[in-house]
């Protein structure tokens, strides 16, 4: 005769925290479980809502940088300067920090301002010899100015600022939620241990 196999015993599936619904009428859910599920949902909502906030911050940052660049460009004047020596590779000192990105040729030059003549190390696009005339950018006081950020650089800075703001705020929210989840887990384990001890007590 064929031996009949016993029917499988149904096993309750574990409850996943992301499937908890605070509005559920499940009688097995305690008040702390509902509160924990509510925290998870609020955390996800806050992290998603931070995306448009970060985008608005990035847009405002880009607008501010563009206005600053336009203000700097309005105060810059182009004047001729006469090289006093041949160009050379700029050393890594603060006196040679004002230069466009990728420009290495430098030479001391003299230019005229409303207050008199000025001399200083100026960047050059190509190698040049003493006595040649180049065009430099100066401010209203005749001081040599650095390169003005273009729209691409401002966009990169704005996107970086927006991503940094979102990462910082979202990370803070997630950290708080993780600490709360850990606290709820410890309380739940402590409560289960207490209930098991009461269950194991023999009846008198």
């Amino acid at each position: 005769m064929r031996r009949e196999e016993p029917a499988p015993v149904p096993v309750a599936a574990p409850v996943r925290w992301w499937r908890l619904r605070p509005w559920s009428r499940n009688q097995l859910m305690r008040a702390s479980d509902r509160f924990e599920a509510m925290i998870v949902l609020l955390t996800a909502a806050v992290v998603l809502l931070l995306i448009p906030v970060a985008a608005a911050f990035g847009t405002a940052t880009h607008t501010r940088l563009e206005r600053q660049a336009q203000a700097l460009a309005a105060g810059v004047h182009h004047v001729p300067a006469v090289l006093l020596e041949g160009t050379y590779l700029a050393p890594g000192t603060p006196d040679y920090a004002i230069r466009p990105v990728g420009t290495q040729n430098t030479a001391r030059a003299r230019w005229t301002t409303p207050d008199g003549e000025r001399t200083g190390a100026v960047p050059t696009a190509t190698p040049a010899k003493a006595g040649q005339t180049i065009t430099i950018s100066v401010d209203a006081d005749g001081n040599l100015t650095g390169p003005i950020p273009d729209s691409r650089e401002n966009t990169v800075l704005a996107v970086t600022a927006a991503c940094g703001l979102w990462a910082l705020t979202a990370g803070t929210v997630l950290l708080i939620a993780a600490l709360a989840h850990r606290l709820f887990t410890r309380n739940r384990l402590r409560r289960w241990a207490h209930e098991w001890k009461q269950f194991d007590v023999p009846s008198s």
Side-chain angles (χ1 to χ4, degrees), residues 2 6 8 13 27 52 59 66 73 96-97 136 145 164 172 183 191-192 196:
R2 186 177 181 180
Q27 300 299 327
T59 302
E66 287 291 322
Y96 300 88
I136 61 175
T145 60
T172 302
L183 180 61
R191 185 173 63 250
W192 287 354
W196 273 111

Side-chain angles (χ1 to χ4, degrees), residues 21-121:
R21 292 173 297 196
W23 57 84
S24 175
R25 297 183 179 179
N26 187 357
Q27 300 299 327
L28 297 179
M29 291 186 64
R30 301 175 181 265
S32 59
D33 297 332
R34 298 178 185 275
F35 186 68
E36 183 179 2
M38 183 65 69
I39 290 179
V40 172
L41 294 178
L42 289 178
T43 301
V46 170
V47 171
L48 292 178
L49 289 176
L50 286 175
I51 296 178
V53 174
F57 177 77
T59 302
T61 302
H62 184 268
T63 302
R64 177 173 54 84
L65 293 175
E66 287 291 322
R67 290 178 179 176
Q68 291 179 356
Q70 293 175 1
L72 291 175
V76 171
H77 306 281
H78 300 287
V79 297
V82 179
L83 298 181
L84 301 178
E85 59 185 355
T87 57
Y88 54 90
L89 296 181
T93 59
D95 295 338
Y96 300 88
I98 301 178
R99 63 182 52 258
V101 178
T103 303
Q104 296 181 347
N105 296 308
T106 299
R108 297 193 66 81
R110 180 177 63 247
W111 63 94
T112 303
T113 67
D115 298 332
E117 292 186 345
R118 298 283 185 91
T119 59

